Amino acid sequence: MNIITDTALEKALDAKMNTTPLKMIGKDVSVYYGDKRALFDVNLNVRQNTVTALIGPSGCGKSTFLRCLNRMNDTIDHCRVTGLITLDEQNIYDSAIDVVELRARVGMVFQKPNPFPKSIYENVAYGPRIHGLARTKSEMDQIVESSLQKAGLFNEVKDRLNEPGTGLSGGQQQRLCIARAVAVSPEVILMDEPCSALDPIATARVEELIHELRANYTIVIVTHSMQQAARVSQRTAMFHMGNLVEENDTDKMFTNPDDQRTQDYIMGRFG
Amino acid sequence: MTTSAIIMIIIGLGIVTYLVGRARAVTLSQGKLSNMHSRPVYYGAYAAICAMLPALAVLVVWLIAAPIVVEKAVKTSLSETTQEISVATGNLTFGTVRAIAGGLTKLTPEELARAKAGEINLREILGARGVPLASETDPAMVAAAEDYNALNATSRMAMTGVVLLVGLLGAAFGLRRIAARFRARNGVERVILVALIAASCIAILTTVGIVGSMLSETLRFFASVSPSEFFFGTVWDPRFSAAGNANSAGQFGLLPLLAGTLYIAFVAMLFAVPIGLFAAIYMAEYASPMLRSTAKPLLEVLAGIPSIVYGFFALITVGPFLRDLSANLNGLVTGNYQSFIQAQSVLTAGLVMGIMLIPFVSSLSDDIITQVPRAMRDGSLGLGATRSETIKRVILPAALPGIVGALLLTASRAVGETMIVVLAAGVAARMQLNPFEPMTTVTVKIVNQLTGDLEFTSPQTLVAFALGITLFVITLCLNIYALYIVRKYREQYE
Ligand SMILES: Nc1ncnc2c1ncn2[C@@H]1O[C@H](COP(=O)(O)OP(=O)(O)OP(=O)(O)O)[C@@H](O)[C@H]1O
Ligand SMILES: [Mg+2]
């Protein structure tokens, strides 16, 4: 009885998930740093309006995969990417793709908050400015305000928009970076351990924020915290030594994973 | 024994003491180093320091004090025999005595005896041995010279004895102190600390000394020329030919020189800053590691070329080239082949100095640009900014204070640069704005005023010190301001 319900539930969930369109598709993605291979034929899809968590032990290639999704690996000398990655059925490594435009559509939030040494306003206005998203000052004000609003930061900083962004607390800085990414209206937001430099309260704020953002954006997040992955994501992908071990619904992944290695990792049996 | 032999012996003593001390410590430790407070090398070093340091100190003091004492003794005995000696002639006589004393060691005993008996002329025979004397000798002087030699010999013997004794005592003391709980390491560390402090004191004191001597000479200059005339005068005409004639002191207006200095430095920065900065941006942001590792040292080789080489490059190549170029341009436009750029001109000097400064600007800026954290670049690139947008909007603003500091440092070099302007800028002290005409700088005038054989008493030469100190103050202010800015910038990312 119990078992039957579970399977039925799973089927229902699968059906719902499988109908979610795929935002990004990664097929046989391999990455080499010089002669060293960091990723081995990874096949991983990112679903629209879904939070996908990437987990795995340190050095397994999570950041590397994440950086492939907006071609940040291009900025690393000696880094070579093979395979196919698409965004809305378009190969992002195609020579016809403009990497500037791609990064405007696939934004990124980094592990350490890295606000520019400019005012809070200018930090958020940076992206819209280079992409010419606002024609007038009031339009820009609008964008800045709504982005800060979405990042849940506006109320805290509305009186000091002209003070340097580097003067905020760590958690505020990270939300400022999220606001900065949101300001260019990306479709996908990549987050590489966005909470690893934050205290539990700031972490909770950011997680809440991720929940809210999910309605409008597709999110891929790298995290070392199993709890965090379980709390914020709907899909989870487990990496190990450059290989994708398992990709599954988060609920299933944390209760009944298919792969022994996933189970071991989640149980904390290796790191 | 000669001084160097004594020093060798002390060093030898130090080495032996070190070895003995170390061995003693090893024995004391009974195979377990943790029994001892310090490692055996420290005990050895401590004992060696005890052996060498006091002995060397005694040696130095003796070497300084002994000649003074001997001179005094000889002078007293001389004035007793010859009475009527004033201070000036006393010094003269003593000089002769010293010369004779040096010469006496070159004579055989028989010759000496015959010379004393008056059988041969001492002055002639010493002259033949390569010791020229200013005047004829008299017996009192010869006696004093013998005294002098005898005293010196005694002093040297006593010194050898005392120094070696102090060395041995020190060694014994150092070796005896070696014990399990004795803190040799702390002692050695303290000696090293004192040595380091002494070194930095020497560096600072030299600077202070140089500034002090420049200041005193400058004050002497200002005794004959009023400061307001110097600092606000617009005419530079020191009248060399009239030097020594008190009535025609000449005019020493600083302003034309300062104007030339700043103008040429400005032209130089005009060439060096954009080129150097762009080169730095390319090296830091675009160049592949391979290219960077070869091109950067190559660029820095430019900085190693002595500035005199740039100077004659300016004199022989750039100056005539600019002159001919301007003649041809003029000819093409007006049909009149007359050059409007003179071979020696602000432009020539500024251009060549600019070339010289490029590597300074680029390597300083490059260091500062690469210091901007990678996270800044990633943040900007991740938002879809292009490389040049990232450089323009994030990296340069972040690096700007540091770059300004670097440019100020470069400017202070430009202001103090000498050889290029001596050869390429001309010597005419004029206040004008045409970059195609010669102008001159503070440094050029310092060189001019000091090359020649004038005494250091006339304002014509003393003015060099006033110029020097003015220049010093300008570059010092630039440097301090630059360091201040650079330091302030550094705090930003910590
Ligand atoms: N810039 C680089 N140059 C050379 N090798 C790199 C570079 N970046 C990552 N690697 C290598 O690629 C592999 C995967 O690194 P990656 O940063 O993707 O790991 P990760 O899963 O993000 O680890 P962590 O959880 O510690 O952040 C590692 O072995 C790493 O050493
Ligand atoms: Mg990582």
Side-chain angles (χ1 to χ4, degrees):
Chain A
M1 174 80 176
N2 221 339
I3 296 165
I4 295 166
T5 327
D6 262 5
T7 351
L9 191 70
E10 259 173 39
K11 270 193 180 149
L13 274 173
D14 270 354
K16 181 172 157 268
M17 280 295 182
N18 288 336
T19 54
T20 326
L22 297 180
K23 185 69 185 171
M24 297 188 83
I25 298 171
K27 199 163 172 342
D28 296 333
V29 179
S30 294
V31 178
Y32 305 80
Y33 292 108
D35 295 333
K36 186 169 169 289
R37 193 164 177 187
L39 279 187
F40 297 84
D41 299 323
V42 171
N43 291 293
L44 179 60
N45 300 334
V46 177
R47 300 177 180 192
Q48 183 138 24
N49 295 92
T50 304
V51 179
T52 307
L54 308 184
I55 61 171
S58 189
C60 64
K62 308 180 294 288
S63 303
T64 302
F65 182 78
L66 196 72
R67 283 200 306 264
C68 290
L69 297 180
N70 72 342
R71 292 182 57 176
M72 278 304 276
N73 280 333
D74 292 13
T75 63
I76 297 174
D77 299 317
H78 310 307
C79 183
R80 195 158 55 82
V81 179
T82 63
L84 177 76
I85 299 178
T86 64
L87 172 66
D88 292 341
E89 274 113 52
Q90 204 177 13
N91 181 4
I92 63 169
Y93 279 88
D94 195 291
S95 57
I97 281 279
D98 181 9
V99 66
V100 167
E101 192 198 331
L102 170 72
R103 290 187 191 143
R105 292 173 63 190
V106 183
M108 188 150 196
V109 175
F110 297 84
Q111 176 168 359
K112 244 180 82 189
N114 58 347
F116 302 129
K118 301 169 181 284
S119 70
I120 294 171
Y121 184 97
E122 283 303 319
N123 261 288
V124 182
Y126 184 86
R129 214 160 253 160
I130 51 178
H131 296 296
L133 298 186
R135 259 160 308 163
T136 62
K137 173 91 173 79
S138 63
E139 266 181 42
M140 184 60 87
D141 290 347
Q142 197 69 50
I143 293 178
V144 170
E145 184 180 334
S146 72
S147 306
L148 285 170
Q149 208 81 272
K150 281 182 203 155
L153 190 62
F154 187 70
N155 286 334
E156 287 161 66
V157 300
K158 61 170 178 263
D159 302 322
R160 46 177 188 160
L161 288 177
N162 289 319
E163 284 172 31
T166 41
L168 296 173
S169 77
Q172 289 173 326
Q173 286 188 13
Q174 193 61 300
R175 277 180 284 148
L176 178 63
C177 291
I178 293 174
R180 189 173 72 181
V182 165
V184 286
S185 325
E187 298 156 33
V188 182
I189 301 179
L190 310 175
M191 300 183 174
D192 193 348
E193 300 178 41
C195 301
S196 64
L198 307 184
D199 69 274
I201 295 172
T203 303
R205 300 282 323 250
V206 173
E207 285 179 5
E208 223 174 275
L209 176 61
I210 293 173
H211 260 301
E212 288 160 18
L213 292 176
R214 189 192 147 203
N216 299 312
Y217 305 93
T218 302
I219 293 172
V220 184
I221 179 172
V222 171
T223 175
H224 274 146
S225 153
M226 297 305 113
Q227 291 84 345
Q228 183 170 68
R231 282 194 298 264
V232 302
S233 72
Q234 290 78 50
R235 296 283 292 182
T236 300
M238 157 82 188
F239 284 75
H240 182 49
M241 293 173 62
N243 291 294
L244 178 66
V245 172
E246 182 176 354
E247 185 213 357
N248 227 324
D249 289 341
T250 301
D251 299 339
K252 176 155 170 31
M253 194 86 162
F254 282 93
T255 49
N256 183 20
D258 291 338
D259 195 288
Q260 185 60 38
R261 283 171 295 178
T262 316
Q263 183 144 27
D264 288 348
Y265 182 66
I266 290 168
M267 297 314 209
R269 251 173 282 169
F270 69 25
Chain B
M1 212 183 282
T2 63
T3 313
S4 49
I6 297 178
I7 293 177
M8 292 304 275
I9 289 179
I10 295 180
I11 291 177
L13 180 67
I15 294 173
V16 171
T17 321
Y18 171 78
L19 294 175
V20 173
R22 201 179 60 176
R24 246 189 88 126
V26 170
T27 327
L28 269 178
S29 72
Q30 294 165 328
K32 236 183 106 191
L33 285 184
S34 55
N35 285 340
M36 310 289 286
H37 172 268
S38 315
R39 279 187 297 129
V41 281
Y42 282 109
Y43 291 102
Y46 182 84
I49 287 171
C50 285
M52 291 165 68
L53 219 53
L56 287 176
V58 170
L59 180 66
V60 169
V61 171
W62 200 296
L63 283 177
I64 293 171
I68 301 172
V69 175
V70 169
E71 179 177 335
K72 204 154 187 183
V74 171
K75 269 189 185 165
T76 350
S77 69
L78 252 185
S79 57
E80 269 164 19
T81 48
T82 52
Q83 275 125 29
E84 27 66 70
I85 285 178
S86 70
V87 178
T89 50
N91 278 339
L92 211 62
T93 323
F94 183 69
T96 321
V97 167
R98 221 165 27 190
I100 298 174
L104 287 183
T105 58
K106 295 195 172 139
L107 298 180
T108 58
E110 302 96 76
E111 281 173 325
L112 181 59
R114 284 174 63 195
K116 275 209 250 176
E119 288 165 29
I120 51 174
N121 185 321
L122 193 59
R123 188 179 182 193
E124 272 170 19
I125 189 164
L126 284 184
R129 297 281 152 86
V131 184
L133 293 182
S135 60
E136 285 297 331
T137 59
D138 68 50
M141 280 186 183
V142 177
E146 283 184 310
D147 266 2
Y148 180 82
N149 277 349
L151 275 175
N152 265 344
T154 330
S155 145
R156 187 153 282 278
M157 270 195 17
M159 177 174 82
T160 313
V162 170
V163 167
L164 293 186
L165 187 67
V166 169
L168 286 172
L169 282 179
F173 171 78
L175 288 176
R176 286 217 25 194
R177 288 201 67 179
I178 296 177
R181 295 323 305 162
F182 174 58
R183 305 179 170 203
R185 180 175 6 101
N186 305 21
V188 173
E189 288 297 321
R190 209 165 314 132
V191 171
I192 291 176
L193 177 69
V194 169
L196 296 180
I197 292 176
S200 35
C201 283
I202 289 175
I204 294 170
L205 286 181
T206 351
T207 318
V208 171
I210 290 175
V211 173
S213 79
M214 275 189 12
L215 262 180
S216 73
E217 299 293 329
T218 307
L219 290 180
R220 276 172 67 194
F221 170 72
F222 283 135
S224 50
V225 177
S226 85
S228 67
E229 214 175 288
F230 175 70
F231 286 114
F232 303 111
T234 54
V235 179
W236 176 266
D237 179 18
R239 295 219 214 132
F240 260 119
S241 51
N245 181 346
N247 295 332
S248 59
Q251 281 177 287
F252 300 94
L254 172 70
L255 289 182
L257 309 186
L258 206 56
T261 301
L262 296 181
Y263 197 3
I264 291 175
F266 173 74
V267 173
M269 295 298 277
L270 220 54
F271 286 108
V273 172
I275 297 177
L277 209 52
F278 287 169
I281 290 174
Y282 175 72
M283 287 291 163
E285 296 293 321
Y286 290 92
S288 69
M290 262 257 289
L291 184 71
R292 188 178 149 86
S293 64
T294 47
K296 219 180 159 217
L298 224 62
L299 199 65
E300 271 152 19
V301 164
L302 266 183
I305 299 176
S307 72
I308 182 81
V309 175
Y310 286 103
F312 63 70
F313 174 59
L315 184 72
I316 292 171
T317 314
V318 179
F321 171 76
L322 288 177
R323 186 192 56 211
D324 297 345
L325 184 76
S326 71
N328 285 334
L329 280 179
N330 201 7
L332 283 180
V333 177
T334 63
N336 169 13
Y337 283 89
Q338 200 183 15
S339 65
F340 56 88
I341 303 180
Q342 302 193 14
Q344 285 195 325
S345 69
V346 171
L347 184 67
T348 313
L351 178 62
V352 176
M353 200 192 282
I355 294 172
M356 183 191 78
L357 294 179
I358 288 173
F360 291 103
V361 177
S362 79
S363 87
L364 285 173
S365 315
D366 180 284
D367 289 347
I368 289 158
I369 290 174
T370 42
Q371 263 178 35
V372 174
R374 192 186 160 84
M376 293 292 125
R377 290 181 181 78
D378 285 350
S380 172
L381 292 172
L383 287 169
T386 63
R387 266 186 174 180
S388 69
E389 278 167 345
T390 303
I391 291 165
K392 198 173 73 193
R393 289 168 185 262
V394 175
I395 294 175
L396 284 186
L400 193 65
I403 290 176
V404 170
L407 295 188
L408 286 175
L409 283 180
T410 315
S412 86
R413 273 196 77 96
V415 167
E417 169 52 41
T418 311
M419 289 330 295
I420 293 176
V421 281
V422 164
L423 293 176
V427 292
R430 298 190 299 163
M431 287 242 259
Q432 47 102 26
L433 282 176
N434 185 350
F436 304 142
E437 306 249 311
M439 260 171 113
T440 198
T441 68
V442 176
T443 48
V444 171
K445 281 305 167 195
I446 294 179
V447 172
N448 278 350
Q449 299 306 103
L450 293 186
T451 45
D453 29 55
L454 287 171
E455 295 268 338
F456 277 99
T457 48
S458 61
Q460 272 81 353
T461 44
L462 287 178
V463 69
F465 291 98
L467 291 175
I469 210 147
T470 314
L471 206 58
F472 173 71
V473 170
I474 293 176
T475 50
L476 186 71
C477 290
L478 278 174
N479 285 353
I480 290 176
Y481 188 54
L483 285 180
Y484 165 76
I485 286 187
V486 169
R487 193 158 307 153
K488 208 170 139 195
Y489 154 78
R490 218 174 265 146
E491 283 162 7
Q492 222 170 40
Y493 293 117
E494 277 167 7

